[in-house]
Structures are given as structure tokens and as C-alpha cells.
Amino acid sequence: MSKGSQQLERFIFWSRWLQAPLYLGLIVAQGIYVYLFMAELGHLIASVFESGGHISETETMLVVLGLIDVVMIANLLIMVIIGGYETFVSRLELQDHPDQPEWLSHVNAGVLKIKLSTAIIGISSIHLLKTFINAANLAEHTIMWQVIIHVVFLLSAMAMAYVDKMMNQTVLLSKH
């Protein structure tokens, strides 16, 4: 192999580091979600005290579902940040670290896609639950479209899982 092609290949391999600032940006976005979570929690606490503890169950449930939504989005960000960095940029040297996520030891692009799609379904489920709780205040076509979008997420996740299973079976067959 010529020296020029070796340098080109090393440069192409080095280019993966251009993704590092993207992951740092997602960490900043996660900080914003922490701020939004704390602000919304503060509003809930203030509402309880201002109303003398007479906040409606529906209102409480909607706020709590909003908080759960923020947590699930933060979990999604963690999966993308850690899993994407580990898969596409560089290994994280976390062996023997007591806090290493279990899923990180076997992460690859396929596993990451499946985990992300299930997280998106969870987030969509929370949105749909909020919609059903607040259905009296929403237009019927809005509810219908949210259900359709959720079903599309489910079907997409099942299709990705099926394709991933087929690819894994193909790899296993090629090893024999």
C-alpha cells in the first residue's frame, strides 16, 4: 500500500473525532433538560402551596407525566451520547468502573438503534397518555394523528428489530 493511501486512510479514520463536538452539544442539551425539569418541578410545588394543597389529580398527573417525559428524553440523550461515542468515535475505558451501564459492554450500531427506538416509543407513550388524560380539551383529529404516529413508531421499531435479527442470523450462518 502506498504512503499516500495510508495517510488518506488515517485521515479518514481520524475524521470520526469530528463527531465529538456533537456529543458535547448533546451534553449541553441535557443540561437544559435538567433545568427545565427543575423549573417544572418548582412550578408543581408552588402550585401545591398556592392552592393550599388542593391541586387537581388531573393537573398533577399531567405535570408528573411531563416530568417523566423529560427524564425519558434525558435517558435517550445518555444512550446517544455514551453509545454513539463508544460506537463511532472511541472506546470509553470504563472496565471495572462500578457505575458502567450494563448495556455498554455489548453496544453496537444495531443495539443502539433498537434501544433508541424503544426509548422513542416510551416517550411517545407518555405523550399519548397525556393526550388521553386531556382528551376533552383536544380536537379529535389531533388525538387521531398522535395515535397514528405512535403506531408508526411501534411498527418502525418492530421492523428495525426484525432486520437486526435477520442480520445477526446472517452473521451467525456465515461463521459456520
Side-chain angles (χ1 to χ4, degrees), residues 2 9-10 20 64 74-75 77 80 94 101 110 143-144 162:
S2 75
E9 288 174 3
R10 286 184 183 175
V64 169
N75 291 342
L77 281 168
V80 171
L94 299 175
I143 297 170
M144 179 191 69
Y162 179 75

Side-chain angles (χ1 to χ4, degrees), residues 41-57:
L41 182 60
H43 292 302
L44 177 62
I45 292 168
S47 293
V48 169
F49 284 114
E50 289 170 2
S51 68
H54 299 302
I55 188 171
S56 76
E57 184 179 351

Side-chain angles (χ1 to χ4, degrees), residues 10-11 13 15-16 18 23-24 64 67 69 80 84 102 114 119 138 142 144 148-150 155-156 159-160 163:
R10 286 184 183 175
F11 178 72
F13 186 64
S15 72
R16 74 193 189 283
L18 292 173
Y23 295 115
L24 292 174
V64 169
L67 294 173
D69 189 38
V80 171
E102 181 184 311
I114 300 301
L138 296 171
T142 301
M144 179 191 69
I148 290 170
I149 291 168
H150 183 73
L155 293 174
S156 297
M160 281 193 283
V163 168

Side-chain angles (χ1 to χ4, degrees), residues 30 33 37 66-77 123:
Q30 186 167 25
Y33 268 105
F37 179 94
L67 294 173
I68 292 169
D69 189 38
V70 170
V71 170
M72 292 181 79
I73 291 171
N75 291 342
L76 178 65
L77 281 168
I123 293 165

